[in-house]
Amino acid sequence: MLQAMRNKMHGWPSIIVLGLAVLAMSLFGMESYFTSRDDAFVAKVGKHEISQNAYQDRINQLRQQASAEQGEHFDSSIFEKPEMKQRVLDAMIDQQLLLQVNDDWGMRVSDQAVRDYIAGIPTFQVNGQFDAISYRAWLASQRKTPDMFESEIRSSLAIQLLPDAINDSTIVSDVQVDHFLSLLTQRRDLRYFLLPRPTLTDNQVSDAQIEAWYKAHLADYMNPEQVSVKYIEVNGADLPLEAAPSEDDLKKRYADEKQRFVQPEQRLVSHILINVPTNATPEQQKAALAKAEKIAVEANPGDFAKLAEQDSQDLGSKRQGGDLGWLEKGVTNPAFDAALFALQKNQISKPVLSSDGYHIIWLRDVRSGESKPFEEVRDQLVKEASAAERDRRYNEVAGKMSDNTYQNPTSLEPASVALNLPIKATALFARTGGEGLTANPKLIAAAFSDDVLVQGNNSGLVDLGNNHSVVIHVDKHVPAAARPLAEVRADVQKKILNERIAALEKKQADDALARLHKGEAMPALATSMGATITSVSEAVRHSEVPAPLLTQAFLLPHPTADKAQFAAVDMQDGTFALLALDKVQGGDLSKVPPEQRESLRQQMAQAYGSETTRELVELLKTKAEIKLNKARM
């Protein structure tokens, strides 16, 4: 019924119907209409809501990341499974709990940490050094302000504050390292031989057996559900431009945006930081100020670097004598900025209070700003003007395409005619995707959505990125169906015979193992079966022994002095082997290099720290008020 209403409600009749609906709501209680709706969040942690948009953005981000990593092997249906959706939401809840702990315990990301992180991003570096011009250009390309990007970085770093603190405070003793190294480098003496393949005598398979196997394993012989779609697309790269930008337009753009082409004044800066604790008492603040004032009085350009190495509490710069490199206005916090740009060359400031603490600033040098002439940036202006016009044209056409296909939900034809866009078609593809456009997770999700697949409507605008979007309509739907028995008969028969052979091999291995446990000598057993024993002395975890045997050898319990431990091992290739473990020795720790020992200590500390963080998050969950709204997932 809803679909019929959607198709028919156009023009003046719809206005009357909507008017009556509004009147009815006013008569029967509009307030109850709005308060009865579902909550708009997916989860609520304390007072913080995780919105449906934020949750969906995280799902899309992970889907695109997995698609890029897995390529043609990517299966988009994984992200439609309830367990995956729940896992993503659980991770977002964990992150919110960590952020709330930061607030409760007064932990914060310093401005210096944000600056250091941004300065370390390779995209913003030239010859290994932070380059402000590259940074500004990237921000412009992403349509972000420095405050927006720094806020994103601060949020991502904030999530790691507590885990990093736990990792840094985790201590791993020499005894723990030695114990783990002893296990890691443990040596085991073992013997094994491969069992011969048994001969299958019962190789007849009846029609009844084939049919029974087929019905029992029907899921193995299903053709997946598939669809093909028709679509119209708009691609900004293919849109013709009405005209090239004129010289007057370019010059006006240059005049309006001249500030972009000015290399701003830069200042070569060093500083000494005296930290002020979060939620510092007046006494603590006075003590920090007194220490900063004493340093400021003593400091001069000749010994500033030495004082920074000695007294600065900015770990990122103290080893470089407090050097912060070339800075321009707006890169640091407002208080630091104001003091820096009030200094003369070689002048040292009085203590400057910021959110990090007290700074003593030394202005070492100044580079004046320079403006690039119009001729030098003309080509860049042409590219930008053309790109802007192409963006405008794309948005115009994509908007019209979206409106037209929504107003005519059951066909792409009206939009195709109105916008002179051809209707194209794809081959059949499953939920795992196909090739070209049908490999895109967004298009796959749209094609198999209820509105498009079941209701038969056009999709909304599917944004494929880079000014490229499509609207799709299902052309053909092939439900999942079992392949006919006649088509898979040979495969079924082969699998039945393979199962019989596997059963014979398993019985042979179990019988042989039983003989060893009853006391029969392994050499005599191997001879009776026409096999040869292979002996390996002091095998370690990376020895050149077949993987299934090596894994089982290190799972067996220690043998006694006069009795080996035995096992039958599935070699994962249709054969079995018999394994004997004769001796176990600890690793020779004298052969472990110091750097390997220290690397292991760090890995163990990180592993213990991660487990501690996990346990803390679980504890926080028991104390926090967490509300889930699974209907919004």
Side-chain angles (χ1 to χ4, degrees):
M1 184 180 74
L2 291 176
Q3 179 56 35
M5 288 179 66
R6 176 181 177 181
N7 293 340
K8 294 177 181 178
M9 284 184 65
H10 295 290
W12 66 264
S14 64
I15 297 174
I16 295 175
V17 172
L18 289 174
L20 291 172
V22 171
L23 178 61
M25 284 190 291
S26 66
L27 291 174
F28 294 100
M30 183 174 286
E31 181 180 357
S32 64
Y33 172 79
F34 282 108
T35 56
S36 65
R37 65 175 175 83
D38 286 340
D39 292 325
F41 56 80
V42 180
K44 191 173 183 180
V45 185
K47 296 181 179 180
H48 178 85
E49 294 183 355
I50 298 175
S51 69
Q52 189 174 23
N53 285 341
Y55 171 72
Q56 195 57 53
D57 286 345
R58 181 66 60 85
I59 288 281
N60 291 338
Q61 179 186 3
L62 293 172
R63 182 189 285 116
Q64 291 170 8
Q65 181 180 337
S67 177
E69 291 174 353
Q70 299 171 23
E72 62 182 13
H73 302 295
F74 173 65
D75 179 5
S76 65
S77 65
I78 290 174
F79 288 91
E80 301 301 324
K81 295 181 178 179
E83 57 269 26
M84 174 58 79
K85 291 183 176 182
Q86 186 64 50
R87 196 177 307 153
V88 173
L89 182 58
D90 287 344
M92 296 181 74
I93 291 172
D94 291 352
Q95 290 178 356
Q96 187 54 42
L97 289 169
L98 290 174
L99 291 175
Q100 290 181 2
V101 167
N102 290 349
D103 293 338
D104 295 342
W105 294 355
M107 302 177 69
R108 59 181 176 79
V109 179
S110 69
D111 294 341
Q112 188 64 46
V114 174
R115 290 195 295 272
D116 289 345
Y117 186 90
I118 293 174
I121 296 175
T123 303
F124 308 146
Q125 293 183 343
V126 175
N127 297 325
Q129 296 292 322
F130 176 75
D131 180 64
I133 297 175
S134 300
Y135 179 49
R136 288 200 311 275
W138 184 87
L139 288 176
S141 71
Q142 300 297 311
R143 299 177 182 176
K144 295 181 179 180
T145 65
D147 286 345
M148 290 167 59
F149 183 61
E150 288 171 16
S151 177
E152 293 174 6
I153 296 299
R154 191 181 302 277
S155 296
S156 65
L157 293 177
I159 294 170
Q160 283 301 121
L161 275 178
L162 184 58
D164 287 346
I166 291 174
N167 288 347
D168 291 342
S169 62
T170 300
I171 298 174
V172 178
S173 68
D174 289 340
V175 173
Q176 289 173 300
V177 174
D178 287 347
H179 179 67
F180 189 85
L181 279 172
S182 180
L183 290 174
L184 191 66
T185 59
Q186 192 180 80
R187 298 162 291 172
R188 296 195 167 204
D189 294 348
L190 52 100
R191 294 168 291 149
Y192 66 90
F193 68 86
L194 295 176
L195 299 176
R197 287 180 178 270
T199 301
L200 180 64
T201 56
D202 180 15
N203 55 11
Q204 298 298 313
V205 182
S206 69
D207 291 343
Q209 289 171 325
I210 289 176
E211 186 171 355
W213 172 279
Y214 171 73
K215 289 180 178 179
H217 300 82
L218 201 58
D220 296 339
Y221 298 103
M222 296 292 289
N223 283 324
E225 179 184 24
Q226 292 182 302
V227 296
S228 62
V229 298
K230 292 181 178 179
Y231 65 95
I232 53 177
E233 68 177 327
V234 53
N235 191 338
D238 298 333
L239 291 174
L241 299 180
E242 294 179 356
S246 68
E247 203 71 10
D248 288 343
D249 289 339
L250 293 175
K251 288 181 178 178
K252 182 177 185 305
R253 190 182 187 93
Y254 175 75
D256 292 342
E257 304 178 17
K258 194 171 183 177
Q259 189 61 34
R260 285 204 298 126
F261 306 109
V262 174
Q263 170 64 51
E265 178 184 306
Q266 293 184 318
R267 299 197 159 203
L268 188 60
V269 187
S270 293
H271 83 141
I272 297 170
L273 174 66
I274 303 302
N275 283 332
V276 175
T278 304
N279 302 323
T281 64
E283 291 73 19
Q284 289 175 315
Q285 186 145 354
K286 287 179 182 178
L289 176 58
K291 182 175 181 180
E293 287 175 335
K294 182 176 183 296
I295 294 172
V297 170
E298 296 175 352
N300 62 70
D303 64 2
F304 194 95
K306 182 178 179 181
L307 282 173
E309 292 177 0
Q310 174 184 306
D311 296 322
S312 181
Q313 293 171 320
D314 175 13
L315 300 180
S317 67
K318 70 177 295 179
R319 293 180 182 176
Q320 289 75 42
D323 181 21
L324 294 177
W326 290 94
L327 302 179
E328 60 185 59
K329 190 165 286 188
V331 171
T332 61
N333 63 70
F336 192 106
D337 228 27
L340 170 61
F341 281 86
L343 295 175
Q344 301 295 319
K345 182 177 177 180
N346 268 330
Q347 191 175 2
I348 296 174
S349 75
K350 294 180 179 179
V352 177
L353 179 61
S354 78
S355 58
D356 298 323
Y358 286 101
H359 302 265
I360 300 97
I361 306 169
W362 171 30
L363 176 58
R364 292 152 53 198
D365 202 355
V366 177
R367 283 199 301 223
S368 299
E370 297 179 354
S371 180
K372 295 181 180 179
F374 171 77
E375 291 74 17
E376 187 176 333
V377 298
R378 184 185 182 282
D379 288 346
Q380 179 183 346
L381 289 168
V382 170
K383 290 180 181 177
E384 290 176 353
S386 299
E389 175 62 15
R390 203 175 294 281
D391 285 347
R392 186 195 67 77
R393 286 275 295 135
Y394 165 77
N395 291 328
E396 177 187 6
V397 177
K400 290 179 179 178
M401 183 171 75
S402 178
D403 291 344
N404 200 304
T405 52
Y406 179 79
Q407 292 167 5
N408 301 279
T410 60
S411 174
L412 299 175
E413 189 69 30
S416 172
V417 173
L419 300 175
N420 195 27
L421 295 173
I423 297 177
K424 303 176 183 179
T426 71
L428 287 167
F429 60 94
R431 293 178 185 268
T432 54
E435 298 180 354
L437 289 179
T438 59
N440 187 289
K442 292 183 180 179
L443 187 142
I444 297 167
F448 286 94
S449 68
D450 180 82
D451 194 44
V452 174
L453 182 60
V454 180
Q455 302 298 330
N457 295 316
N458 296 330
S459 72
L461 198 69
V462 181
D463 184 2
L464 304 179
N466 298 320
N467 282 355
H468 185 197
S469 57
V470 296
V471 174
I472 65 173
H473 192 93
V474 168
D475 183 29
K476 186 177 181 181
H477 177 217
V478 180
R483 297 164 63 187
L485 177 57
E487 183 181 317
V488 298
R489 184 183 184 86
D491 182 72
V492 171
Q493 183 174 5
K494 181 179 179 181
K495 287 186 175 178
I496 292 173
L497 294 176
N498 287 343
E499 188 180 70
R500 291 177 184 174
I501 294 173
L504 283 177
E505 290 172 339
K506 179 68 167 61
K507 184 177 186 308
Q508 177 181 253
D510 290 343
D511 291 346
L513 181 62
R515 290 166 66 180
L516 288 176
H517 283 150
K518 288 177 180 178
E520 186 171 347
M522 191 172 186
L525 178 59
T527 300
S528 69
M529 303 187 76
T532 302
I533 292 178
T534 298
S535 298
V536 181
S537 178
E538 296 190 359
V540 292
R541 296 179 189 271
H542 55 270
S543 293
E544 293 185 4
V545 175
L549 283 165
L550 194 63
T551 299
Q552 186 61 47
F554 279 89
L555 289 175
L556 285 173
H558 291 209
T560 59
D562 58 347
K563 188 175 181 181
Q565 291 285 350
F566 300 107
V569 182
D570 185 347
M571 299 300 289
Q572 307 299 317
D573 62 356
T575 62
F576 278 80
L578 285 188
L579 170 67
L581 174 63
D582 297 318
K583 184 180 179 182
V584 176
Q585 303 176 73
D588 185 352
L589 302 188
S590 65
K591 295 181 180 179
V592 180
E595 58 272 16
Q596 183 179 343
R597 176 185 291 273
E598 186 56 33
S599 174
L600 177 62
R601 188 192 305 274
Q602 293 174 7
Q603 293 175 36
M604 291 175 69
Q606 186 172 7
Y608 293 158
S610 296
E611 180 61 19
T612 302
T613 300
R614 188 195 65 78
E615 292 174 354
L616 175 59
V617 168
E618 292 304 314
L619 177 62
L620 293 172
K621 283 181 179 178
T622 65
K623 298 178 179 299
E625 183 180 351
I626 300 174
K627 181 179 179 181
L628 302 183
N629 187 6
K630 293 191 175 183
R632 293 283 179 178
M633 291 176 62

